C-alpha cells in the first residue's frame, strides 16, 4: 500500500514538472470535516479566461462529478460540493463538506479545457476532526463562546472562524488578525489543543452554521487551503416555543416549563397579558400569588405553575420564563378555558389497606390520544405528580371513549386523600395537564375474623430492605407508648404458647398465629419493623353460640343480644361477614336507636340489648350480627332470621288436622281388611258376646291397639302411629310433634301447641266400627 502511494506521488510530481502551464498541488482534509481551497485562473492579471465558465471535475476529462459556474459572485452547489467565482479575482473557490476516504483522488479545476489545474485531494483520519454540534443562543444574550479543538500538529498554524450561509463562506476572524475585546467576533488561541471564539450581543441574525478551521499549505495563495475541523449550528432563541393549552371551567391546570440546565439558578417568572412579571421568590417551595401557585425546581431547572378553580377570566396568553441578564427566555402559553358540564364534580372510593382499588376517570374525548395523568393533592391543595418510587403501583387502562381506569395495588395508609385525573400534553419545552376529575379515596384497615376457641393468622408484609430486622406485632394505639407488644420475630414460642410466629424472608412476610381465641383478643394490631408502625390490622371475634329465630310475614320479632362487655358501642347490622356488616350494613346502634322498622333498646341491668323489627317481609330473612365495639375492638354474635308466610300456630294446627284425617282413613281401611279376612278384635268380640275368640285368635297377630295405645298400620308394628300421649305421625318420619305441642322439623315453631283428646279419637273410631258391624 505504501509503495502504491509513493508511486502515485512520483507520477503526480513528474506530470506537474512536464505540464508547462499546468499547475499541480495537493490539499488535505479530514473525515467528516470540510475543505476550502482556490483554483488559479491565470498568471496574467487579466485575461478573457476569467469571464468564461469555470468548472471543477473529478477526472481530467471532466466527465465525472463535475460542477460548473457561469454566474459570478454567487455560490453554485452540487450536493456536498460548492463553487464560487469572484470576477475581480484571478481564482475561484471550491468548498467541499462532510469529507470521506472515498473523496481521495485527483481533480481538475479549469475553464473549457483551455487551462487546467490538477488537484490531488488527500483525506485522513484525525482524532479531533469532523465534529458537528448544535448550540443554543438567546436573543439579547451578552456573549456566547465556542470551543474548537485541534491536533497538536496544528499548534503553530493560523486558526480561522468562518460562517456558512447563502452568501460566500467568509472569514469572521483569525488568529493572525488584531482583535479588540469589544468586537462582535473574537478568537483566542491556546496554542496547545484548542482555540475559543466569542460572539457578543446575540441577535436573531447571528443564527446559522459556523466553521472552525486551520490554514494549511505555503505562503503562495494558489496552494493555501483551509481544513475545517468542526461545524457548529447556532440556534438563536428568545421565545422558546408557543404552546396551546386547553383547560376546563371550575377545574385546574398544571403546567411545567423546562429551561436549559445552566439557568437553573436564575429567577423564574410568570407573566399574564402585561409587562408585569410575577417572580418566584425562593426556590424549591410553593409560592402563592392569588390563585396562581409557582414552584421553582432548582434541581432540574423547571418552573411548575398550578392554577385552580379556573374561570373565563383566566383565559389569556401567559409567559413562563427565566430571567437572564439583559434578556428573558420564555415559553408562550395560550390558555383556553372551556365550559364542560358532563364532568362529575367529584367521586368517592374506599379501599382496604394492603389490597387493590380501581378508580374510574373521565376526560374529554378530544384528548383520547393524549397521555393520561393522575396527581394527588398535598396539604396546600396543590396537585402534585405521583413520585417515581410509587409510580409502579399505579396502572392505567383504557375504557370506553372518554373514560380510563387507574388501578392502585398494595394500597397503604399514605394513599388516602384527594386525587385529580386529567389529560397530559407534552412538548419539548413544556408539559401541561388539564385536570378534569376529583376523586376522594378513603381507606379501611384490613380485618381478620376469628371465632371463639379457634385460631387466626395475622400476616404482615414488609419491604425486602427490612428482611434482616426484627419484626413486631403490637396491639392498641400505635402512636403511644401504651401499645402492647404481643410478640416479636426472635421470641421463643414457649414464652407465649397461645402465640406463634413465622418470618419468611423469601416472601417478605411475617405471620403471627393466635390460638384459642377469646373475646378479649379482639382489637387493632400493628405490624412494625423497628420503630415504624406500618400496617394496622383489625381482629374481630365471633362468639360460639349463634341464635336462630323464625317469624311470619307482617309480624314482628324481638332479638335479645347479649352484652358481654361494659361501656361499649352496640350495633345491629346485616351481611354475610362481620367486617362487611360493620362497614355497609349497620341498621341501628347506640347512636342511632331508631331506623325505620328497626329499633334498639338497652337493658343494662340484664346485660342485654334488644332489637325489634316490625312489619316483617320475606326479604328480611338472612344473617344479622349483634356487635359491640370498644376502641376498634369488635365482638359479634351471629343471628339467623327466617321470615315465612302464615302464623306458626296456624301452620301447626293445620298440619295436625291433616294428619288426623289421614289416621281416620287408615283406621277405616284396617276395619274393612279385618272383616274381609274374618279377623275380629277383642273389642268386637266383647260387643258380640263371643268370649272365646280371644283364646282362638292367632297369638302372633298384632292388635289394632292395646291398652294405652292408639291403632297403628298393621305392617308397621315397630313404628306405632300413635303412642300414649302422642299425636299421629307419618310412618316414615320420626316423631314430629310431642304431646300438647307441634315442633317443625329442624326449626322451632314458637308458641305452636295443639291438644287432642285420646278419648275423642276412641269414641270416633268406635262409632265408625259400630256403623260397619253387620246386624
Amino acid at each position: 500500500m505504501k509503495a502504491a502511494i509513493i508511486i502515485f506521488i512520483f507520477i503526480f510530481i513528474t506530470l506537474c514538472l512536464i505540464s508547462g502551464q499546468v499547475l499541480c498541488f495537493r490539499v488535505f482534509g479530514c473525515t467528516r470535516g470540510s475543505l476550502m481551497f482556490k483554483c488559479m485562473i491565470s498568471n496574467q492579471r487579466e485575461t478573457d479566461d476569467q469571464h468564461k465558465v469555470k468548472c471543477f471535475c473529478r477526472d481530467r476529462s471532466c466527465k465525472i462529478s463535475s460542477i460548473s459556474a457561469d454566474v459570478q459572485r454567487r455560490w453554485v452547489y452540487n450536493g456536498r460540493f460548492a463553487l464560487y467565482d469572484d470576477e475581480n479575482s484571478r481564482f475561484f473557490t471550491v468548498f467541499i463538506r462532510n469529507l470521506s476516504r472515498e473523496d481521495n483522488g485527483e481533480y481538475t479545476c479549469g475553464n473549457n479545457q483551455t487551462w487546467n489545474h490538477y488537484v490531488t485531494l488527500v483525506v485522513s483520519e484525525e482524532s479531533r476532526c469532523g465534529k458537528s454540534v448544535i448550540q443554543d443562543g438567546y436573543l439579547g444574550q451578552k456573549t456566547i463562546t465556542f470551543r474548537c479543538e485541534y491536533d497538536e500538529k496544528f499548534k503553530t498554524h493560523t486558526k480561522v472562524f468562518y460562517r456558512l450561509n447563502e452568501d460566500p463562506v467568509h472569514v469572521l476572524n483569525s488568529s493572525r488578525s488584531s482583535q479588540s475585546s469589544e468586537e462582535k467576533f473574537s478568537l483566542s488561541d491556546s496554542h496547545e489543543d484548542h482555540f475559543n471564539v466569542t460572539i457578543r450581543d446575540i441577535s436573531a441574525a447571528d443564527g446559522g452554521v459556523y466553521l472552525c478551521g486551520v490554514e494549511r499549505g505555503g505562503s503562495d495563495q494558489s496552494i493555501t487551503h483551509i481544513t475545517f475541523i468542526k461545524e457548529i449550528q447556532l440556534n438563536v432563541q428568545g421565545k422558546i416555543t408557543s404552546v396551546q393549552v386547553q383547560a376546563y371551567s371550575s377545574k385546574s391546570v398544571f403546567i411545567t416549563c423546562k429551561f436549559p440546565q445552566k439557568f437553573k439558578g436564575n429567577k423564574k417568572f410568570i407573566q399574564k397579558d402585561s409587562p408585569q412579571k410575577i417572580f418566584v421568590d425562593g426556590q424549591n417551595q410553593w409560592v402563592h400569588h392569588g390563585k396562581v401557585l409557582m414552584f421553582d425546581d432548582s434541581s432540574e431547572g423547571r418552573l411548575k405553575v398550578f392554577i385552580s378553580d379556573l374561570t373565563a377570566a383566566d383565559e389569556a396568553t401567559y409567559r413562563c420564563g427565566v430571567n437572564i441578564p439583559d434578556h428573558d427566555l420564555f415559553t408562550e402559553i395560550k390558555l383556553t378555558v372551556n365550559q364542560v358540564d358532563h364532568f362529575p364534580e367529584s367521586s368517592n372510593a374506599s379501599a382496604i389497606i394492603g389490597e387493590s382499588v380501581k378508580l374510574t376517570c373521565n376526560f374529554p374525548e378530544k384528548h383520547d390520544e393524549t397521555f393520561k395523568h393522575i396527581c394527588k393533592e398535598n396539604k396546600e391543595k396543590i396537585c402534585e405528580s405521583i413520585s417515581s418510587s410509587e409510580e409502579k403501583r399505579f396502572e392505567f387502562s383504557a375504557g370506553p371513549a372518554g373514560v380510563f381506569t387507574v388501578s392502585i395495588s398494595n394500597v397503604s395508609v399514605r394513599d388516602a386523600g384527594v386525587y385529580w385525573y386529567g389529560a397530559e400534553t407534552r412538548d419539548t419545552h413544556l408539559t401541561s395537564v388539564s385536570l378534569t376529575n376529583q376523586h376522594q379515596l378513603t381507606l379501611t384497615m384490613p380485618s381478620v375474623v376469628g371465632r371463639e376457641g379457634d385460631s387466626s393468622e395475622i400476616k404482615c408484609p414488609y419491604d425486602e430492605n427490612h428482611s434482616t430486622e426484627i419484626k413486631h406485632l403490637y396491639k392498641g394505639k400505635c402512636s403511644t407508648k401504651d401499645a402492647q407488644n404481643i410478640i416479636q420475630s426472635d421470641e421463643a414460642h414457649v414464652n407465649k404458647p397461645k402465640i406463634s410466629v413465622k418470618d419468611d424472608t423469601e416472601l417478605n412476610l411475617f405471620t403471627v398465629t393466635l390460638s384459642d381465641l377469646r373475646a378479649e383478643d379482639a382489637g387493632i394490631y400493628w405490624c412494625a419493623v423497628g420503630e415504624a408502625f406500618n400496617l394496622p390490622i383489625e381482629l374481630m371475634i365471633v362468639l360460639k353460640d349463634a341464635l336462630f329465630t323464625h317469624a311470619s310475614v307482617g309480624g314482628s320479632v324481638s332479638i335479645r343480644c347479649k352484652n358481654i362487655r361494659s361501656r361499649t358501642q352496640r350495633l345491629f347490622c346485616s351481611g354475610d361477614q362481620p367486617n362487611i356488616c360493620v362497614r355497609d350494613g349497620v341498621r341501628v346502634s347506640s347512636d342511632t336507636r331508631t331506623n325505620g322498622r328497626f329499633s334498639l333498646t338497652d337493658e343494662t341491668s340484664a346485660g342485654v340489648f334488644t332489637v325489634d323489627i316490625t312489619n316483617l317481609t320475606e326479604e328480611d330473612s338472612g344473617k344479622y350480627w349483634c356487635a359491640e365495639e370498644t376502641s376498634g375492638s369488635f365482638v359479634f354474635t351471629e343471628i339467623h332470621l327466617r321470615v315465612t308466610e302464615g302464623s306458626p300456630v296456624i301452620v301447626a294446627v293445620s298440619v295436625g288436622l291433616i294428619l288426623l284425617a289421614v289416621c281416620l282413613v287408615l283406621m277405616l281401611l284396617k276395619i274393612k281388611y279385618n272383616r274381609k279376612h274374618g279377623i275380629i278384635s277383642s273389642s268386637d268380640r266383647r260387643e258380640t258376646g263371643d268370649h272365646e275368640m280371644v283364646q282362638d285368635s292367632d297369638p302372633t297377630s298384632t292388635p289394632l291397639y292395646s291398652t294405652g295405645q292408639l291403632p297403628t298400620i298393621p305392617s308397621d308394628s315397630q313404628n306405632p302411629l300413635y303412642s300414649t300421649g302422642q299425636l299421629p305421625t307419618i310412618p316414615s318420619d320420626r316423631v314430629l310433634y310431642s304431646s300438647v305441642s307441634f315442633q317443625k322439623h329442624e326449626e322451632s315453631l314458637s308458641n305452636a301447641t295443639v291438644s287432642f283428646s285420646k278419648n275423642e279419637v276412641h269414641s270416633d273410631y268406635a262409632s265408625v266400627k259400630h256403623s260397619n258391624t253387620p246386624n
Side-chain angles (χ1 to χ4, degrees):
M1 183 66 182
K2 291 183 178 179
I5 294 174
I6 294 172
I7 293 171
F8 172 76
I9 294 174
F10 175 77
I11 295 172
F12 172 75
I13 293 172
T14 302
L15 290 172
C16 288
L17 290 174
I18 66 175
S19 60
Q21 294 294 323
V22 175
L23 299 177
C24 302
F25 60 93
R26 288 190 301 168
V27 292
F28 298 89
C30 57
T31 54
R32 298 176 302 278
S34 300
L35 176 67
M36 187 169 69
F37 59 90
K38 299 174 182 178
C39 286
M40 294 295 295
I41 296 175
S42 172
N43 291 330
Q44 308 269 330
R45 185 172 295 276
E46 276 210 33
T47 68
D48 291 338
D49 290 339
Q50 71 185 51
H51 300 291
K52 294 181 180 179
V53 175
K54 314 303 187 300
C55 61
F56 179 74
C57 315
R58 181 66 194 252
D59 65 346
R60 295 192 176 208
S61 63
C62 279
K63 293 181 180 179
I64 304 174
S65 301
S66 64
I67 179 173
S68 61
D70 57 359
V71 294
Q72 295 176 327
R73 294 188 174 275
R74 194 175 71 189
W75 283 93
V76 177
Y77 294 91
N78 182 8
R80 297 180 296 113
F81 296 82
L83 186 152
Y84 181 80
D85 181 15
D86 185 348
E87 62 179 350
N88 295 320
S89 301
R90 292 179 295 115
F91 55 83
F92 64 90
T93 304
V94 175
F95 178 69
I96 310 173
R97 296 181 73 182
N98 194 22
L99 291 164
S100 68
R101 297 296 293 271
E102 286 72 22
D103 292 323
N104 276 314
E106 189 175 311
Y107 294 81
T108 300
C109 47
N111 183 355
N112 293 333
Q113 301 293 317
T114 59
W115 52 267
N116 294 294
H117 288 180
Y118 297 135
V119 182
T120 300
L121 173 58
V122 180
V123 180
S124 61
E125 291 279 355
E126 294 178 6
S127 60
R128 300 189 177 184
C129 184
K131 293 184 179 180
S132 180
V133 298
I134 298 175
Q135 193 157 340
D136 291 329
Y138 307 99
L139 288 174
Q141 188 172 340
K142 192 172 182 179
T143 61
I144 187 170
T145 300
F146 305 130
R147 178 184 173 95
C148 302
E149 298 84 2
Y150 55 77
D151 286 344
E152 183 181 2
K153 64 183 178 181
F154 298 124
K155 286 197 301 184
T156 60
H157 288 235
T158 298
K159 316 304 185 301
V160 294
F161 186 67
Y162 273 61
R163 182 174 183 182
L164 175 64
N165 52 24
E166 293 182 0
D167 296 326
V169 177
H170 62 281
V171 65
L172 296 172
N173 219 321
S174 74
S175 56
R176 288 183 301 182
S177 62
S178 60
Q179 301 173 29
S180 167
S181 60
E182 301 301 321
E183 289 182 7
K184 177 75 172 177
F185 297 90
S186 62
L187 185 152
S188 60
D189 189 3
S190 70
H191 297 290
E192 290 186 0
D193 59 358
H194 75 277
F195 66 92
N196 293 328
V197 177
T198 300
I199 307 177
R200 302 182 186 282
D201 301 323
I202 304 300
S203 65
D206 294 324
V209 178
Y210 294 85
L211 302 168
C212 299
V214 294
E215 286 190 358
R216 305 176 75 166
S219 58
D220 189 337
Q221 282 188 334
S222 64
I223 58 174
T224 299
H225 59 280
I226 298 173
T227 299
F228 293 109
I229 56 180
K230 189 173 186 177
E231 186 173 298
I232 302 168
Q233 172 72 52
L234 175 61
N235 298 323
V236 179
Q237 299 177 340
K239 180 172 69 176
I240 299 177
T241 187
S242 181
V243 180
Q244 294 272 358
V245 175
Q246 292 189 350
Y248 300 91
S249 181
S250 77
K251 307 300 181 181
S252 304
V253 65
F254 196 116
I255 298 170
T256 302
C257 303
K258 301 177 183 177
F259 302 102
Q261 278 284 329
K262 62 182 177 180
F263 299 129
K264 64 183 182 181
N266 295 44
K267 272 197 167 186
K268 313 302 187 302
F269 66 87
I270 193 79
Q271 190 175 11
K272 177 185 176 183
D273 285 342
S274 70
Q276 183 181 4
K277 300 172 186 174
I278 305 172
F279 284 97
V280 183
D281 295 326
Q283 292 185 318
N284 304 317
Q285 60 181 349
W286 284 100
V287 177
H288 293 252
H289 187 86
K291 66 191 304 182
V292 179
L293 298 100
M294 299 174 290
F295 186 96
D296 183 1
D297 185 349
S298 64
S299 64
E300 299 187 21
R302 301 185 303 176
L303 176 62
K304 301 176 184 178
V305 181
F306 185 75
I307 310 174
S308 59
D309 301 321
L310 290 165
T311 65
D314 296 313
E315 188 169 282
T317 299
Y318 295 80
R319 287 184 175 184
C320 179
V322 59
N323 185 244
I324 302 172
D326 304 321
H327 181 63
D328 291 325
L329 181 66
F330 64 89
T331 294
E332 186 177 77
I333 304 166
K334 297 179 180 179
L335 177 63
T336 303
V337 179
N338 299 314
Q339 298 291 330
V340 178
D341 299 327
H342 67 269
F343 292 141
E345 287 297 322
S346 62
S347 53
N348 298 284
S350 179
I352 298 175
I353 296 172
E355 297 187 5
S356 300
V357 64
K358 287 187 177 181
L359 310 177
T360 302
C361 317
N362 300 92
F363 62 93
E365 291 186 23
K366 59 185 173 183
H367 289 305
D368 193 48
E369 299 301 322
T370 60
F371 297 96
K372 307 307 180 294
H373 183 87
I374 183 171
C375 59
K376 186 171 182 285
E377 278 190 4
N378 59 18
K379 294 180 180 179
E380 297 176 302
K381 302 296 183 183
I382 299 165
C383 199
E384 294 189 299
S385 299
I386 307 300
S387 65
S388 56
S389 61
E390 300 289 349
E391 277 183 350
K392 59 185 179 181
R393 297 191 298 111
F394 289 75
E395 182 179 345
F396 293 87
S397 58
V403 177
F404 70 94
T405 300
V406 179
S407 299
I408 309 175
S409 61
N410 192 22
V411 173
S412 64
V413 176
R414 61 185 176 273
D415 292 324
V418 176
Y419 291 84
W420 282 88
Y421 314 112
E424 178 180 310
T425 304
R426 299 175 185 174
D427 188 83
T428 305
H429 301 282
L430 181 140
T431 299
S432 63
V433 179
S434 298
L435 302 174
T436 54
N437 278 98
Q438 184 185 35
H439 203 108
Q440 175 76 49
L441 177 61
T442 57
L443 302 180
T444 57
M445 69 183 70
S447 58
V448 177
V449 178
R451 293 190 174 269
E452 187 180 17
D454 292 343
S455 300
S456 282
E457 287 185 343
I458 296 178
K459 297 181 180 295
C460 301
Y462 55 83
D463 189 273
E464 61 182 1
N465 297 327
H466 301 304
S467 60
T468 59
E469 297 183 43
I470 296 175
K471 321 308 182 304
H472 296 264
L473 182 69
Y474 290 88
K475 182 182 181 184
K477 296 181 179 180
C478 69
S479 57
T480 67
K481 294 181 179 180
D482 297 332
Q484 178 187 359
N485 187 3
I486 299 300
I487 199 166
Q488 60 193 48
S489 55
D490 62 346
E491 190 170 352
H493 177 58
V494 294
N495 296 334
K496 298 177 179 178
K498 283 184 54 177
I499 307 174
S500 61
V501 297
K502 179 183 178 182
D503 187 7
D504 190 332
T505 54
E506 292 187 1
L507 296 177
N508 298 321
L509 186 66
F510 173 54
T511 303
V512 179
T513 302
L514 305 177
S515 303
D516 193 21
L517 292 172
R518 296 289 182 264
E520 55 267 23
D521 293 323
I524 306 299
Y525 292 78
W526 291 84
C527 303
V529 179
E531 299 298 323
F533 293 87
N534 51 17
L535 181 64
I537 298 176
E538 184 178 23
L539 176 59
M540 300 176 172
I541 301 297
V542 177
L543 300 179
K544 283 183 177 179
D545 298 328
L547 298 179
F548 296 85
T549 185
H550 179 263
S552 59
V553 173
S556 301
V557 67
S558 292
I559 301 172
R560 290 167 62 84
C561 302
K562 191 175 181 180
N563 193 7
I564 66 171
R565 299 182 297 182
S566 60
R567 297 182 181 180
T568 59
Q569 171 85 0
R570 276 85 60 204
L571 56 92
F572 184 80
C573 56
S574 62
D576 289 335
Q577 298 297 328
N579 53 348
I580 299 174
C581 159
V582 170
R583 188 180 64 201
D584 303 322
V586 175
R587 301 302 182 92
V588 284
S589 66
S590 300
D591 295 331
T592 307
R593 293 180 177 271
T594 302
N595 180 14
R597 298 180 295 111
F598 292 76
S599 62
L600 184 148
T601 305
D602 278 322
E603 300 178 45
T604 308
S605 60
V608 297
F609 64 94
T610 302
V611 175
D612 294 307
I613 312 174
T614 60
N615 195 20
L616 290 165
T617 66
E618 288 188 1
E619 288 72 22
D620 291 324
S621 298
K623 189 183 290 186
Y624 293 83
W625 304 86
C626 293
E628 50 181 292
E629 182 265 336
T630 304
S631 300
S633 171
F634 282 90
V635 177
F636 295 88
T637 299
E638 190 173 347
I639 310 294
H640 294 266
L641 173 62
R642 183 177 182 185
V643 181
T644 57
E645 289 284 352
S647 167
V649 175
I650 296 174
V651 170
V653 172
S654 300
V655 172
L657 292 176
I658 292 171
L659 290 173
L660 180 59
V662 171
C663 291
L664 292 175
V665 171
L666 291 173
M667 285 189 290
L668 291 174
L669 292 173
K670 175 68 174 180
I671 293 170
K672 185 176 180 181
Y673 175 84
N674 289 344
R675 289 194 173 186
K676 181 177 180 181
H677 294 82
I679 300 173
I680 302 175
S681 65
S682 59
S683 59
D684 292 335
R685 185 170 10 140
R686 280 194 301 268
E687 289 183 12
T688 58
D690 190 359
H691 301 288
E692 305 232 347
M693 289 184 67
V694 176
Q695 296 176 354
D696 297 337
S697 64
D698 187 357
T700 62
S701 64
T702 303
L704 184 61
Y705 51 88
S706 60
T707 306
Q709 286 187 326
L710 292 176
T712 64
I713 298 174
S715 61
D716 194 12
S717 60
Q718 300 302 318
N719 294 296
L721 184 60
Y722 297 100
S723 62
T724 305
Q726 286 185 325
L727 292 176
T729 66
I730 298 173
S732 60
D733 283 347
R734 291 174 295 177
V735 175
L736 186 62
Y737 299 96
S738 63
S739 62
V740 307
S741 67
F742 288 84
Q743 293 184 339
K744 188 177 178 182
H745 185 56
E746 294 182 336
E747 287 191 273
S748 301
L749 294 176
S750 60
N751 301 322
T753 60
V754 178
S755 298
F756 293 92
S757 170
K758 187 174 74 171
N759 293 330
E760 291 176 353
V761 175
H762 279 255
S763 62
D764 290 341
Y765 174 75
S767 62
V768 172
K769 183 179 73 67
H770 181 74
S771 64
N772 287 276
T773 302
N775 292 323

